[in-house]
């Protein structure tokens, strides 16, 4: 697929995807969705890639779903096309994805960042769910994921008032894992992704699966699920290599086997 709305690069074992609709502040239209999903699935299929970073511009990670594209949609179309369901494909990526957010991450932009495995924010980042100001509500997971990230009170505040949260508040609230100077954002995110990509890919994928399961099940079920995954890792050469390397005081050489 040719890509017009994103830029795809590789940095070692890291796939870097930059949203590239600068004139529309990276508003998420159907083309950007299709290109993003295709890029992520390409990186997931590439054995040379261990993790990904999704980023935007200095001004906007993404200023939301494309309002101009969706303004004329009828209820019948929204329902029958299951509008926005295509984003579920993005969340099916099994390799880790870091969102590197500078500037606006509003509406669908905030929701896309939350679909990633964690968010590294520039000190310029601003998060918000302003859909209420347009006469609608979040539709790409905002009411559900934001509530799990920051709790009911703050999620209600964000979704009902449409106000923005700056990077410091987002870090305090648990929405982002760390805040870095804007000039270092992509470098820091790629560095974090490269660190992940150097670990054993099956164990990385299982760690992602285990943490995600915590959002979907009871504690007792989640603990059993984690333990079964943990047991299965003893079938891997990488478990033997990782533990031998520790005992022999050397760096492990993981082969993803
Ligand atoms: C409805 C659901 C389920 C999800 C959503 O995501 S709805 C969208 C939520 N997002 C918003 O409501 C934010 C909309 N944007 C803004 O409020 C402002 O653009 C801003 C505060 C982010 C930045 O303001 P600024 O004055 O710096 O820039 P603008 O001149 O307003 O924007 C530049 C350029 O980008 C177009 N733009 C911005 N956001 C979107 C968007 N979400 N969809 C489509 N287009 C967008 C904006 O119209 C302008 O383009 P033109 O110069 O061609 O008018």
């Amino acid at each position: 697929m040719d890509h017009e709305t994103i830029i795809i690069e590789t940095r070692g074992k890291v796939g870097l995807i930059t949203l590239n609709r600068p004139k529309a502040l990276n508003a998420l239209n159907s083309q950007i969705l299709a290109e993003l999903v295709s890029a992520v699935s390409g990186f997931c299929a590439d054995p040379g890639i261990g993790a990904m970073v999704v980023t935007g511009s200095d001004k906007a990670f993404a200023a939301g779903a494309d309002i101009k594209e969706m303004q004329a949609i009828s209820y019948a179309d929204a329902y029958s096309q299951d509008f926005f369901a295509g984003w579920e494909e993005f969340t099916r990526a099994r390799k880790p994805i870091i969102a590197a957010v500078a500037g606006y991450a509003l509406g669908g932009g905030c929701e896309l960042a939350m679909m990633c495995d964690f968010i590294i924010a520039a000190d310029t980042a601003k998060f918000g769910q302003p859909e209420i100001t347009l006469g609608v509500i979040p539709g790409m997971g905002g009411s559900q994921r934001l509530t799990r990230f920051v709790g009911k009170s703050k999620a209600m505040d964000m979704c009902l008032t449409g106000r923005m949260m700056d990077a410091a508040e987002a870090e305090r609230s648990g929405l982002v894992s760390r805040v870095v100077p804007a000039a270092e954002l992509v470098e820091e995110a790629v560095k974090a992704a490269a660190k992940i990509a150097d670990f054993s890919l099956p164990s990385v994928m299982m760690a992602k699966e285990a943490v995600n399961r915590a959002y979907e099940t009871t504690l007792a079920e989640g603990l059993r699920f984690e333990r079964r995954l943990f047991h299965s890792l003893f079938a891997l050469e990488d478990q033997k290599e990782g533990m031998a390397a520790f005992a022999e005081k050397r760096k492990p050489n993981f082969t993803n086997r």
Side-chain angles (χ1 to χ4, degrees):
M1 172 185 264
D2 286 339
H3 296 104
E4 291 171 10
T5 61
I6 60 173
I7 298 166
I8 302 181
E9 297 162 80
T10 52
R11 304 269 174 95
K13 295 184 204 169
V14 176
L16 174 61
I17 302 169
T18 305
L19 306 179
N20 188 34
R21 289 190 75 205
K23 287 186 185 148
L25 303 185
N26 292 329
L28 302 168
N29 62 5
S30 39
Q31 185 174 356
I32 223 170
L33 165 62
E35 293 185 7
L36 198 47
V37 164
S38 138
V40 165
S41 98
F43 281 138
C44 281
D46 182 342
I49 294 295
M52 289 160 267
V53 172
V54 175
T55 194
S57 68
D58 289 347
K59 179 159 181 182
F61 175 73
D66 192 317
I67 300 167
K68 294 166 193 168
E69 185 184 65
M70 75 181 132
Q71 65 178 342
I73 291 181
S74 66
Y75 167 72
D77 285 344
Y79 181 77
S80 51
Q81 292 164 14
D82 204 2
F83 191 52
F84 283 156
W87 287 99
E88 281 170 21
E89 190 62 31
F90 180 86
T91 65
R92 279 198 273 272
R94 297 181 71 204
K95 291 179 184 173
I97 307 179
I98 300 173
V101 175
Y104 297 111
L106 302 178
C110 185
E111 291 167 304
L112 171 59
M114 291 190 291
M115 284 179 217
C116 297
D117 295 304
F118 62 96
I119 302 172
I120 299 181
D123 46 14
T124 58
K126 292 180 202 70
F127 298 88
Q129 297 291 160
E131 291 89 345
I132 201 79
T133 67
L134 300 167
V136 290
I137 67 168
M140 287 165 52
S143 65
Q144 305 304 299
R145 289 199 178 92
L146 188 64
T147 307
R148 284 164 167 81
F149 277 105
V150 305
K152 177 182 170 184
S153 184
K154 222 172 250 291
M156 280 289 190
D157 180 359
M158 304 293 291
C159 291
L160 293 178
T161 69
R163 80 170 174 89
M164 293 185 211
M165 196 190 257
D166 66 16
E169 185 181 3
E171 187 180 31
R172 268 198 319 275
S173 314
L175 177 57
V176 311
S177 67
R178 34 183 141 148
V179 178
V180 299
E184 292 159 29
L185 175 68
V186 174
E187 180 192 331
E188 285 297 321
V190 169
K191 206 194 297 176
K195 188 175 173 69
I196 294 167
D198 271 343
F199 295 131
S200 168
L201 183 59
S203 62
V204 163
M205 287 163 70
M206 285 195 211
K208 169 170 171 158
E209 201 178 346
V211 173
N212 279 335
R213 187 58 70 98
Y215 282 101
E216 289 161 11
T217 192
T218 62
L219 179 60
E221 270 307 317
L223 291 172
R224 258 192 300 276
F225 181 73
E226 178 195 81
R227 213 159 50 242
R228 293 294 172 248
L229 286 182
F230 171 71
H231 295 159
S232 73
L233 286 166
F234 285 80
L236 292 184
E237 291 166 19
D238 281 345
Q239 172 269 326
K240 305 289 177 269
E241 168 62 12
M243 294 191 182
F246 174 81
E248 292 160 18
K249 300 188 189 303
R250 60 173 173 81
K251 280 188 79 170
N253 177 27
F254 292 124
T255 56
N256 301 335
R257 308 292 308 167

